[in-house]
Amino acid sequence: MTKQRITVENKRIINNSKTVDCNQLVPIKYRWAWNYYLDACANHWMPTEVSMQRDIEQWKDPKAFSDDERHVVKRVLGFFATAESLVGNNLVLAVYRCVDNPECRQYLLRQAFEEAIHIHTFQYIVQSLSLDEGEMFNMYREVGSIYNKDEYAMSCTSSVLDPNLDTKTKEGLQTLLKNMVGLYVITEGIFFYGGFVTMLSFGRQNRIPGICEQIQYILRDESIHMNFGIDLINAIREENPWVWDQQFERTIMEFIKNAVELEYKYCEECLPNGVLGLNTNLLREYIQYLADRRFKRLGLPEVYGSSNPFPWMSEVIDLKKEKNFFETRVNEYQAGGALEW
Ligand code: FE
Ligand code: MN
């Protein structure tokens, strides 16, 4: 027993365990982390609340999609089917272990549940469309451009899983930060976007509307995940300024720049001939534009100077859902879905 009470002054984002009990949420020091948690809860949704009826009818119609269109839909679903699991595992097994501040962990717990919802979503879509489960859930092993993305993002996770990792050392903390960049900036902030743009392009033509509604909710969740993650990285950096030297900055920039190339290669494989007004040049420009925005958020110099070829994507990301979603959803679905394009 101790009468020493915790004050905000003793709280840190990481390495609390020896000095501060990590079970005590209040007094809240990191209000921004708590606010992310509240925002995330206000966005709650479940995939099974979205009707798949029109998607099923369209997918069964042999004339409704060209071969190239069916190829890209399956590639995108196949990528997400396992990528969401990789993210969830990284979050729970690696990031959560190291980030021991209770306000941040409150959001991480919420994010972990959202990853479960996203995993559920792709299982639900694959089942609804009667896609080949073996093909879809093995794609990350069997399709090179998907394997390369997953492998790249996960390359720095295993060293965070090492029980001897010491985030009080420069090398140890750099290992953690690099893994967090791999998760929040690269996977959720770059690797998901080729898929988001292509799927939502179908939605803009009123095709596979149920899947597109779910992708829209996932995109909104992921954009909050990424923004939280970058704020978290920046906050750790601020409390431990010795960790971020010029060499590390170069390492991080190379890490992100190579990810841009991998996402481009994946888009080339998904859209060899271009569909829906999308082509690989536009997608490259978009990925570069996103990477520049991520660099800026991390306080790093912009690299590409590309402009946004899909301004409509920003509107989708900024979508604000009414707080009482579940009370209004039946009317929304009767009116033909909650999507506003
Ligand atoms: Fe997710
Ligand atoms: Mn996520």
Side-chain angles (χ1 to χ4, degrees):
M1 238 180 68
T2 166
K3 289 191 173 159
Q4 187 80 45
R5 288 191 165 180
I6 292 171
T7 64
V8 289
E9 284 75 34
N10 340 100
K11 285 182 138 185
R12 296 287 176 272
I13 305 265
I14 53 168
N15 298 324
N16 283 289
S17 47
K18 294 283 184 309
T19 47
V20 178
D21 190 326
C22 60
N23 293 302
Q24 198 174 317
L25 174 68
V26 178
I28 289 178
K29 176 173 184 179
Y30 304 102
R31 183 64 54 181
W32 55 271
W34 178 248
N35 287 339
Y36 274 112
Y37 165 75
L38 296 177
D39 287 349
C41 293
N43 283 339
H44 185 71
W45 65 285
M46 289 297 284
T48 44
E49 302 289 341
V50 177
S51 167
M52 295 293 289
Q53 205 47 50
R54 286 172 66 199
D55 303 57
I56 294 165
E57 286 162 17
Q58 289 177 1
W59 194 253
K60 273 190 190 148
D61 178 352
K63 293 187 298 290
F65 296 89
S66 69
D67 289 348
D68 281 343
E69 286 170 345
R70 285 184 197 272
H71 172 78
V72 69
V73 168
K74 287 201 275 179
R75 280 292 188 266
V76 171
L77 296 175
F79 165 69
F80 277 113
T82 37
E84 297 285 6
S85 295
L86 297 177
V87 167
N89 283 328
N90 189 342
L91 196 63
V92 169
L93 299 171
V95 177
Y96 193 89
R97 190 167 69 87
C98 298
V99 175
D100 58 2
N101 164 262
E103 297 92 296
C104 295
R105 279 188 164 177
Q106 182 75 4
Y107 181 76
L108 292 174
L109 288 170
R110 172 72 211 189
Q111 188 191 341
F113 178 48
E114 288 174 11
E115 301 308 351
I117 291 172
H118 299 171
I119 294 164
H120 184 179
T121 303
F122 292 100
Q123 183 274 341
Y124 176 64
I125 294 172
V126 166
Q127 193 177 47
S128 301
L129 298 188
S130 305
L131 294 168
D132 178 341
E133 290 177 356
E135 180 192 355
M136 301 308 290
F137 286 91
N138 284 290
M139 232 179 243
Y140 80 120
R141 276 192 263 265
E142 295 171 356
V143 174
S145 62
I146 295 180
Y147 176 85
N148 291 339
K149 290 208 294 180
D150 290 344
E151 181 67 14
Y152 189 70
M154 282 176 44
S155 59
C156 37
T157 308
S158 55
S159 23
V160 180
L161 299 175
D162 178 356
N164 296 316
L165 177 84
D166 182 359
T167 52
K168 288 188 232 44
T169 67
K170 185 172 185 177
E171 203 198 1
L173 187 48
Q174 287 184 342
T175 301
L176 171 63
L177 287 173
K178 193 176 175 204
N179 180 54
M180 288 170 67
V181 169
L183 168 66
Y184 284 111
V185 180
I186 290 176
T187 303
E188 298 188 312
I190 292 175
F191 285 171
F192 280 8
Y193 278 78
F196 286 149
V197 178
T198 13
M199 295 310 275
L200 294 174
S201 295
F202 283 98
R204 280 160 61 83
Q205 302 183 342
N206 270 314
R207 298 161 80 191
I208 39 175
I211 296 176
C212 288
E213 182 171 347
Q214 295 172 69
I215 292 280
Q216 196 176 319
Y217 296 144
I218 291 178
L219 169 56
R220 187 186 46 196
D221 292 342
E222 295 301 347
S223 115
I224 298 180
H225 297 174
M226 181 197 69
N227 280 309
F228 168 82
I230 294 178
D231 284 351
L232 185 60
I233 291 165
N234 288 337
I236 292 175
R237 187 180 161 185
E238 206 177 301
E239 287 184 357
N240 307 275
W242 43 266
V243 74
W244 200 282
D245 56 22
Q246 277 200 329
Q247 198 196 332
F248 187 62
E249 184 158 313
R250 276 196 298 273
T251 305
I252 293 298
M253 291 198 66
E254 283 309 306
F255 191 36
I256 297 172
K257 279 158 69 182
N258 288 332
V260 168
E261 290 312 305
L262 287 176
E263 182 59 9
Y264 175 68
K265 291 217 172 74
Y266 164 78
C267 289
E268 266 187 324
E269 205 278 323
C270 286
L271 296 148
N273 309 306
V275 289
L276 309 157
L278 297 173
N279 61 53
T280 46
N281 282 334
L282 289 174
L283 285 162
R284 175 186 283 264
E285 218 176 299
Y286 186 58
I287 300 158
Q288 291 178 341
Y289 161 81
L290 293 176
D292 271 345
R293 290 184 43 135
R294 314 308 183 227
F295 282 133
K296 205 171 167 189
R297 285 276 277 115
L298 286 165
L300 300 171
E302 293 174 44
V303 171
Y304 304 103
S306 299
S307 53
N308 180 5
F310 309 120
W312 54 268
M313 278 293 288
S314 321
E315 290 161 35
V316 181
I317 296 165
D318 293 339
L319 169 99
K320 294 278 179 285
K321 197 179 64 184
E322 49 282 88
K323 295 248 155 87
N324 56 347
F325 177 62
F326 284 105
E327 282 166 31
T328 59
R329 71 176 189 275
V330 177
N331 290 332
E332 283 173 2
Y333 295 156
Q334 282 170 351
L339 292 179
E340 279 290 344
W341 294 102

